Amino acid sequence: MENQGILVYLESTDGQILKVSLEAMNAARKLAQLSGKKVGAVLIGDASAAAAAASYGADEVLTVAAHGYQPDRYTDILTALCERYDVSCLLLGSTRDGKELAARVAARTGSGCISDAMSMTESGAWVRSVYGGSLQETVSAKGKAVVTVRSGTFGKPELDEGRTAPVTAETVDATPLRSVIKDAVQELSESVNLEDAEIIVAGGRGMGSAENFQLVHELATLLGGVVGASRPAIEDGWVLRNHQVGQSGKIVAPKLYIACGISGAMQHVSGMSGSGFIVAINKDEDAPIFEVADVGIVGNVTEILPLLIEEVKARKN
Amino acid sequence: MELLVCIKQVPDDTVNVTMGADGAPKLDDIAPVVNAFDTYALEMAARFKEANGGSVTVLTIGGEGAVPALRSCLSVGADRACRVEEASVCDPQGTAYLLSQASKKAGEQPFDVIFCGSESTDAASGQVGAQLAETLGLPVITNVLALEPKDGGISAKQETEDGYRVVEAACPCVVTIVKPDYEPRYPSIKSKMAARKMPVAVLTAADAQADASKFGPEAAKVQRAAISAPPQRQSGVKIQEKEAAEAVRRAMEIMVGQKLI
Ligand SMILES: Cc1cc2nc3c(=O)[nH]c(=O)nc-3n(C[C@H](O)[C@H](O)[C@H](O)COP(=O)(O)OP(=O)(O)OC[C@H]3O[C@@H](n4cnc5c(N)ncnc54)[C@H](O)[C@@H]3O)c2cc1C
Ligand SMILES: Nc1ncnc2c1ncn2[C@@H]1O[C@H](COP(=O)(O)O)[C@@H](O)[C@H]1O
């Protein structure tokens, strides 16, 4: 890899690069266009996605051996590569692990760390949201940078199957682990692709019960869409947490977003205000969600949704 | 065990922050509160102390104005409070450095576990905890949902994208806390009264032997070029009908007209 280039850490599971890592790759490609620098990609542990990394835009792929995810080991590896190649900008997807690694590598390499970037300006600065999404700031690192990219913001880079890149195996000496992952338990098996959905039907606290929340599922299925949710609906156990939209969930931009029993707190709205068309159903005519809705229906979700479901069914036939 | 909780005072996170005429966020009218994640961290620390013994100290970097935040922590489980008088810290790494120095002076004994929130609700960098650990050269466990002592160290339940992990570390260590499945306790009138009389220790950067070249504006590794309100959406039609069926019919007409359905 050339010195002072851009490096992207690609997180993968079962040889599949995570979508948010591909978004980081897309951000890296944009940065490369601006700066004329090359983009290296690093795969740690499982190197089977090396060819895919090249077809998504890596100019070179680095691989490093590791036995399972251990944050201390991965921090060592990324720090060593940043130092070895004097990396100017390390990019990661904003997963929980990605954010931890970013903060730690930045501390060790003395880089400026920028969390949850949502877009890049023409001058290569990063835009991110603050105050729960009610404002956004444009920031840049003074010297070297470590940047995490929010899921649902940069989109995937174009896939060029014919594109290849040299693959180099790197070695980084192991040091004793200070914190150790002993066990990992998977609770959410089904993956939810809110970022790519064209239609999202989302439910909030106003749905009232797990039983009523089934109406959200029913309408989503009928429209060929995906179920979204506000935080309270998740906390109440009506739907799993990988359905969350907003500040601490996913940023989404479907063509149609139907918000049912959601008040429109900024932490929710900041995650869905990029939608093409927003329909809101709320019994409170002053609910803030109506301020961002293209169509607002003042009414009770338990009355409106069953009728809406009937109407959609009738149209389909 | 001796526990330290780093807390930050932030503007009430339920209030929409707008831009002032001076090009800065308008914060004057927004009530200051303890960062939500720090209240979870404090509750977890207080429960840990109640189960295993020890004490809980809260530490913040902030001016006089942050004293009420510390007092509110004293009324819900903290035993001691300490404030670092320093206004010029501007980025997460500077904050982490100053906290690392202050953490060595804030307690009577060295701390076994240092708690941070996973993220502040205003700056939302989510970096300080991990960087504090790096600065101190300590192990860190991020996104912790639950915590218990194990073999002289700790065992934590860490939230992941699709479930959780069990992670162990020796003490001293740093943990960052996400929302557990309980709410922070409320103060009682008695605990509020008691908190009012408790001392709040004050440290200057010099007391903490902190090197100003490592936390001040000069040291900031990230610079803000601009801050603004995100693009606003226009609201469209509001349908308010006596008959729900009529409301649905009108909404359907628009959606179909727009070729959305
Ligand atoms: C750090 C932080 C991060 C956060 N991240 C997120 C996030 O990622 N996503 C998120 O969603 N929230 C997030 N929140 C929470 C957010 O601030 C709000 O509390 C939340 O979005 C409110 O959810 P809600 O609209 O479902 O509930 P509520 O605000 O309680 O609103 C319920 C609405 O339903 C309406 N209603 C009630 N009954 C009916 C009925 N029968 N028919 C029709 N309408 C009805 C009510 O009028 C009300 O408007 C976060 C908060 C913090 C502090
Ligand atoms: N000024 C501060 N004083 C004390 N602790 C802080 C301060 N700023 C941040 N923290 C801690 O760091 C955590 C994460 O903050 P941040 O990295 O800004 O999102 C917070 O939840 C606090 O525990």
Side-chain angles (χ1 to χ4, degrees):
Chain A
M1 183 174 152
E2 67 167 21
N3 279 344
Q4 279 140 41
I6 300 161
L7 184 64
V8 188
Y9 164 52
L10 298 177
E11 233 183 285
S12 65
T13 44
D14 306 326
Q16 279 289 107
I17 302 170
L18 299 194
K19 180 155 177 286
V20 65
S21 294
L22 292 176
E23 294 195 58
M25 174 61 89
N26 204 12
R29 293 279 5 146
K30 289 189 172 150
L31 191 58
Q33 265 173 14
L34 264 185
S35 60
K37 287 179 173 158
K38 290 241 157 63
V39 177
V42 53
L43 291 163
I44 307 179
D46 182 355
S48 58
S55 40
Y56 277 114
D59 296 311
E60 180 163 3
V61 182
L62 311 179
T63 63
V64 189
H67 303 288
Y69 182 70
Q70 290 293 349
D72 286 352
R73 171 81 181 134
Y74 279 48
T75 303
D76 283 350
I77 290 170
L78 291 176
T79 304
L81 295 180
C82 283
E83 283 170 350
R84 196 168 293 167
Y85 295 105
D86 198 19
V87 168
S88 63
C89 182
L90 170 69
L91 288 127
L92 308 90
S94 272
T95 59
R96 288 170 178 77
D97 291 336
K99 287 183 76 171
E100 173 185 332
L101 293 170
R104 295 178 67 183
V105 172
R108 290 191 191 179
T109 56
S111 311
C113 188
I114 294 165
S115 306
D116 294 313
M118 303 201 300
S119 63
M120 196 182 74
T121 67
E122 279 164 17
S123 61
W126 304 94
V127 180
R128 56 185 303 275
S129 86
V130 288
Y131 299 105
S134 54
L135 296 180
Q136 56 188 33
E137 62 173 8
T138 306
V139 288
S140 55
K142 263 192 210 159
K144 291 182 182 134
V146 178
V147 178
T148 57
V149 168
R150 274 213 69 164
S151 84
T153 56
F154 277 86
K156 272 195 216 173
E158 253 166 67
L159 180 68
D160 176 357
E161 302 271 12
R163 205 170 177 285
T164 57
V167 180
T168 313
E170 298 274 345
T171 52
V172 175
D173 292 340
T175 56
L177 300 179
R178 291 186 297 199
S179 69
V180 184
I181 295 176
K182 293 284 185 181
D183 194 15
V185 178
Q186 191 183 352
E187 289 175 317
L188 313 173
S189 48
E190 133 236 41
S191 72
V192 180
N193 194 350
L194 283 162
E195 297 98 310
D196 292 332
E198 298 219 327
I199 296 182
I200 293 175
V201 184
R205 179 151 37 208
M207 290 308 301
S209 67
E211 204 189 338
N212 289 345
F213 204 91
Q214 285 310 313
L215 293 169
V216 174
H217 281 284
E218 200 180 328
L219 183 59
T221 311
L222 204 56
L223 295 173
V226 178
V227 171
S230 70
R231 200 171 73 174
I234 287 152
E235 287 176 344
D236 286 340
W238 302 341
V239 56
L240 296 171
R241 72 175 145 84
N242 45 0
H243 291 267
Q244 184 168 327
V245 171
Q247 176 70 12
S248 40
K250 292 282 160 56
I251 296 216
V252 300
K255 285 189 186 140
L256 174 63
Y257 190 93
I258 306 182
C260 314
I262 293 176
S263 63
M266 63 208 168
Q267 288 92 351
H268 186 84
V269 169
S270 65
M272 49 69 91
S273 61
S275 304
F277 196 88
I278 298 175
V279 176
I281 308 166
N282 197 302
K283 68 175 182 188
D284 170 11
E285 62 177 289
D286 296 323
I289 191 77
F290 289 133
E291 289 162 27
V292 298
D294 297 284
V295 170
I297 307 174
V298 183
N300 194 320
V301 283
T302 53
E303 256 181 85
I304 301 287
L305 280 176
L307 289 168
L308 197 54
I309 288 166
E310 284 318 308
E311 282 269 343
V312 175
K313 275 188 188 158
R315 286 216 157 251
K316 278 197 152 181
N317 292 328
Chain B
M1 283 202 213
E2 297 302 302
L3 312 174
L4 178 69
V5 184
C6 300
I7 66 129
K8 183 183 186 187
Q9 182 170 279
V10 296
D12 182 349
D13 61 51
T14 61
V15 180
N16 216 334
V17 180
T18 56
M19 291 299 295
D22 60 351
K26 241 165 60 186
L27 301 173
D28 291 348
D29 301 332
I30 305 178
V33 297
V34 179
N35 178 37
F37 291 101
D38 304 349
T39 66
Y40 309 144
L42 175 58
E43 180 62 33
M44 200 179 289
R47 288 177 184 222
F48 192 93
K49 175 196 84 173
E50 283 152 12
N52 308 296
S55 76
V56 177
T57 303
V58 283
L59 171 66
T60 195
I61 302 172
E64 268 300 321
V67 171
L70 290 171
R71 292 222 184 276
S72 86
C73 294
L74 288 168
S75 73
V76 288
D79 303 296
R80 277 188 288 274
C82 178
R83 177 171 69 86
V84 186
E85 178 77 69
E86 187 52 63
S88 63
V89 209
C90 347
D91 78 339
Q93 282 179 64
T95 305
Y97 168 72
L98 193 51
L99 285 174
S100 74
Q101 288 301 107
S103 72
K104 296 172 192 161
K105 303 278 173 188
E108 282 155 17
Q109 293 161 42
F111 294 106
D112 299 297
V113 185
I114 302 178
F115 293 72
C116 282
S118 62
E119 179 173 303
S120 56
T121 54
D122 54 353
S125 87
Q127 297 169 19
V128 169
Q131 294 183 338
L132 173 59
E134 287 297 327
T135 313
L136 289 167
L138 295 181
V140 61
I141 308 177
T142 56
N143 300 309
V144 169
L145 288 160
L147 199 62
E148 59 185 33
K150 184 161 187 212
D151 307 332
I154 56 161
S155 172
K157 184 175 175 185
Q158 175 182 57
E159 186 177 71
T160 59
E161 304 300 313
D162 64 4
Y164 66 90
R165 298 181 186 131
V166 178
V167 191
E168 293 178 8
C171 289
C173 63
V174 177
V175 291
T176 76
I177 308 302
V178 288
K179 193 169 192 298
D181 55 14
Y182 47 78
E183 293 290 332
R185 68 195 64 185
Y186 286 102
S188 62
I189 293 178
K190 215 174 123 198
S191 73
K192 266 191 183 167
M193 295 284 284
R196 228 181 279 165
K197 295 194 194 102
M198 287 161 82
V200 170
V202 181
L203 289 176
T204 61
D207 295 334
Q209 288 167 354
D211 175 352
S213 72
K214 290 188 178 160
F215 64 80
E218 297 295 299
K221 298 200 162 65
V222 174
Q223 270 173 320
R224 180 191 277 172
I227 182 158
S228 60
Q232 297 295 313
R233 282 185 78 98
Q234 294 293 319
S235 62
V237 284
K238 200 190 271 182
I239 302 174
Q240 231 164 338
E241 299 283 349
K242 275 212 180 65
E243 292 295 322
E246 177 57 16
V248 169
R249 197 197 54 75
R250 279 185 59 197
M252 270 305 276
E253 206 172 83
I254 299 172
M255 285 191 275
V256 171
Q258 298 276 338
K259 298 197 169 58
L260 294 163
I261 291 182

